[in-house]
Amino acid sequence: MVSVNYSSLEAIQDEIRKGDLNCVSMVRHYLQNIEEKRHLNVFLEVYKDEALARAEEIDLKFSQGTQGRLAGLVVGLKDLLCYKDHRIQGGSKILEGFESQFSATAVKRLIAEDAIIIGRQNCDEFGMGSSNENSPFGPTLNEMDNTRVPGGSSGASAVSVQADMCQVALGSDTGGSVRQPAAFCGIIGLKPTYSRISRHGLIAYASSFDTIGIFSKSIEDNALVLEVIAGKDDYDSTVSQKKVENYTGAISYDKKARVAYLKETFESEGLNNDIKEKTLGTLDFLRREGHSVDEIVFPLMKYALPTYYILTTAEASSNLSRYDGVKYGYRSPKGKDLLSMYKKSRSEGFGPEVIRRIMLGTFVLSASYYDAYYTKAQKVRRLIKDQTQSILSDYDFIILPTTPTPPFKIGEKKNDPLEMYLADLFTVQASVAGIPAVSIPNGTDKDGLPIGLQIMTNDFKEKELFSFSKYILDKQ
Ligand code: GLN
């Protein structure tokens, strides 16, 4: 029986090579944890027999020395990533009964390197939420404190890694949905540069923001998975053609970094004091280590959240128009004619938050308000992107807290959408700008709740991001 919570795939593979472990026992271990921690409500489906059968195959490959790079890695998938011949529903009733006809490129690449997919995980409906409470399957609980949320929208994927139900999980990050739950669960969560990973097979929420993201316990696992899944793809015309770097080679940082922090972040009204102190503590540590740390003013900061919510709701209203009761999933039996069938299927199939966003998005795109909202927000997005990149031409990294508060109580913000949106205050800047950002654990608050540190850098500098994150994690 496996009793160790392995921090990295390398440790698992070492044990397998020594003959002390195999993939079957690894999968059994995760299955047992999934079973014992069912109350956390993480998995919508567990591929028990299939994962065990795959594990046997990969053990055989190990014995023949033909295993892929991810042999021994067990992965969970947010219910927004397609896996051929498996059900997927984007955490929504409207896709009830739908099965993926193909696998997401990222999923295909994981499997080609012998990763084992263990199941499909709960999430906020279509990725819209910050607490995992917007799911028709009920909230997922934070393992650290079951009365608290794990964050969202990829909250269950974060908990699966936090609670050792798999080694790595893939989520999606449109405005913070990987970084924020990673912070709430005390693990690592990466949102790479927009377009670094193909979006083929990722159910769309807001296409110009959506990125697949990676949850892990170690920087090494995160780097390895990114190396495997990133890169050009004939099925996604927006994916970057840029060569994928060797993220796994020498993850070390021996330079003196130029670090910026934004004055406005630390002046934010809702910023929790423990989080503020911890983040300032990291900045002090970096100063002591001889890195340069400067305060920068970024007055546009207050526009990042409204810009994000105008543009993403606009894109969502368009993306979600395809769920009409005809092409996919749920169809209301109550429709009397075509139009009422559309209306009833959508009103019954979508949850309240998704409906709210479709309505907001339709409003900002309507003829009379298009210029006032949508066009204006596009212009502000450009300004935020340009100014963020201009800071990043003088500095290697921008450091800020991942979230303004520690994990909040289940139910605390559920009925106040604006309060909920504020949970993304610090994560949306990277999403609006399209730059990579990672959340790494940064200790706990006075009640022992996890705190996340966010590091942002310029486009396609994931290698530096991994190296610097590891340096901070190891040294601090
Ligand atoms: N919480 C944010 C939202 O509701 C971010 C979601 C995400 O990144 N998918 O839009």
Side-chain angles (χ1 to χ4, degrees):
M1 206 56 240
V2 179
S3 55
V4 188
N5 184 338
Y6 291 99
S7 64
S8 71
L9 176 63
E10 199 185 346
I12 294 173
Q13 289 179 340
D14 278 350
E15 297 278 288
I16 296 179
R17 271 191 219 97
K18 280 193 265 160
D20 295 340
L21 185 68
N22 58 35
C23 296
V24 170
S25 50
M26 211 57 234
V27 169
R28 282 197 202 287
H29 162 73
Y30 294 127
L31 289 172
Q32 190 184 342
N33 270 349
I34 293 171
E35 188 54 37
E36 278 170 12
K37 300 175 186 180
R38 275 172 75 129
H39 62 285
L40 300 178
N41 197 20
V42 171
F43 282 85
L44 299 179
E45 245 183 301
V46 181
Y47 311 139
K48 179 171 176 241
D49 296 337
E50 196 184 313
L52 284 167
R54 277 273 292 162
E56 254 180 63
E57 272 172 42
I58 295 162
D59 279 333
L60 188 66
K61 287 193 184 183
F62 256 114
S63 67
Q64 297 164 340
T66 56
Q67 77 279 9
R69 296 180 76 194
L70 301 183
L73 188 76
V74 175
V75 181
L77 298 178
K78 182 183 190 180
D79 191 26
L80 280 172
L81 284 140
C82 292
Y83 181 18
K84 191 174 183 327
D85 299 330
H86 292 74
R87 282 168 54 199
I88 180 159
Q89 54 190 122
S92 180
K93 280 197 304 202
I94 207 154
L95 273 175
E96 218 156 69
F98 185 74
E99 227 173 60
S100 296
Q101 286 147 8
F102 53 83
S103 290
T105 298
V107 174
K108 235 191 307 187
R109 289 181 182 172
L110 288 180
I111 294 171
E113 287 294 346
D114 286 341
I116 297 170
I117 310 294
I118 195 154
R120 178 165 75 94
Q121 302 170 328
N122 202 3
C123 61
D124 284 306
E125 188 172 357
F126 288 108
M128 299 177 190
S130 309
S131 68
N132 227 292
E133 292 169 290
N134 297 336
S135 159
F137 308 103
T140 296
L141 317 183
N142 194 319
E143 197 205 17
M144 193 79 86
D145 173 346
N146 293 179
T147 66
R148 292 181 188 271
V149 303
S153 60
S154 322
S157 306
V159 177
S160 70
V161 174
Q162 175 194 35
D164 201 28
M165 298 169 167
C166 49
Q167 185 66 16
V168 157
L170 288 192
S172 62
D173 189 314
T174 304
S177 278
V178 167
R179 290 162 285 155
Q180 186 251 18
F184 278 10
C185 295
I187 60 168
I188 298 166
L190 170 79
K191 177 201 100 69
T193 311
Y194 177 77
S195 84
R196 183 64 298 185
I197 302 173
S198 165
R199 285 182 294 116
H200 176 66
L202 169 68
I203 292 185
Y205 157 16
S207 309
S208 77
F209 293 77
D210 293 341
T211 54
I212 289 175
I214 305 163
F215 291 104
S216 67
K217 299 176 217 173
S218 69
I219 291 290
E220 285 82 354
D221 284 0
N222 218 298
L224 176 60
V225 169
L226 183 66
E227 202 171 296
V228 168
I229 66 179
K232 61 180 182 191
D233 176 22
D234 289 344
Y235 293 108
D236 178 358
S237 59
T238 62
V239 78
S240 170
Q241 303 295 307
K242 224 173 145 64
K243 197 171 167 293
V244 176
E245 269 183 80
N246 168 9
Y247 300 121
T248 48
I251 308 182
S252 62
Y253 201 83
D254 44 24
K255 291 179 268 187
K256 291 294 169 218
R258 295 163 303 165
V259 174
Y261 67 91
L262 309 178
K263 183 165 176 271
E264 291 74 8
T265 325
F266 292 95
E267 286 171 354
S268 301
E269 217 178 279
L271 177 59
N272 166 284
N273 210 39
D274 290 355
I275 296 183
K276 184 174 175 177
E277 293 304 318
K278 281 276 177 200
T279 314
L280 290 171
T282 301
L283 294 171
D284 278 344
F285 153 78
L286 290 171
R287 273 193 202 100
R288 284 198 305 276
E289 292 291 312
H291 305 279
S292 67
V293 178
D294 292 339
E295 182 181 87
I296 296 288
V297 291
F298 187 65
L300 286 177
M301 167 121 182
K302 60 175 179 292
Y303 300 113
L305 201 63
T307 302
Y308 169 81
Y309 274 100
I310 290 171
L311 295 177
T312 53
T313 53
E315 293 187 25
S317 73
S318 157
N319 271 328
L320 271 57
S321 65
R322 63 178 61 130
Y323 306 109
D324 55 7
V326 177
K327 303 193 229 17
Y328 319 88
Y330 177 75
R331 175 181 301 177
S332 170
K334 295 187 209 137
K336 292 193 189 64
D337 50 32
L338 184 64
L339 194 62
S340 76
M341 188 278 289
Y342 285 156
K343 286 185 178 169
K344 291 229 176 321
S345 300
R346 286 169 68 81
S347 319
E348 291 165 17
F350 288 132
E353 181 61 26
V354 172
I355 291 179
R356 174 168 23 250
R357 295 200 190 190
I358 291 174
M359 285 164 64
L360 276 172
T362 307
F363 175 76
V364 300
L365 288 176
S366 60
S368 352
Y369 293 100
Y370 189 92
D371 281 339
Y373 290 102
Y374 185 72
T375 309
K376 183 83 133 286
Q378 288 286 35
K379 290 180 181 166
V380 179
R381 180 179 200 182
R382 168 55 67 183
L383 290 175
I384 292 174
K385 185 171 174 60
D386 287 351
Q387 290 193 20
T388 303
Q389 286 190 318
S390 133
I391 298 173
L392 287 168
S393 60
D394 294 331
Y395 292 90
D396 300 307
F397 306 102
I398 299 173
I399 284 190
L400 68 172
T402 310
T403 61
T405 69
F408 44 89
K409 292 267 187 192
I410 292 173
E412 191 180 322
K413 300 184 196 246
K414 193 165 189 292
N415 299 319
D416 188 344
L418 279 180
E419 268 292 307
M420 192 68 94
Y421 297 171
L422 282 168
D424 306 314
L425 189 62
F426 299 142
T427 48
V428 290
Q429 184 184 352
S431 305
V432 169
I435 55 172
V438 69
S439 178
I440 59 172
N442 193 20
T444 56
D445 72 355
K446 59 179 181 331
D447 299 321
L449 297 168
I451 290 177
L453 181 81
Q454 189 179 193
I455 312 171
M456 310 194 282
T457 189
N458 220 339
D459 285 348
F460 300 106
K461 287 176 72 180
E462 280 83 0
K463 172 101 188 158
E464 283 80 353
L465 201 55
F466 287 133
S467 300
F468 195 54
S469 301
K470 185 161 167 56
Y471 164 81
I472 294 179
L473 281 170
D474 286 353
K475 275 248 184 169
Q476 206 186 7

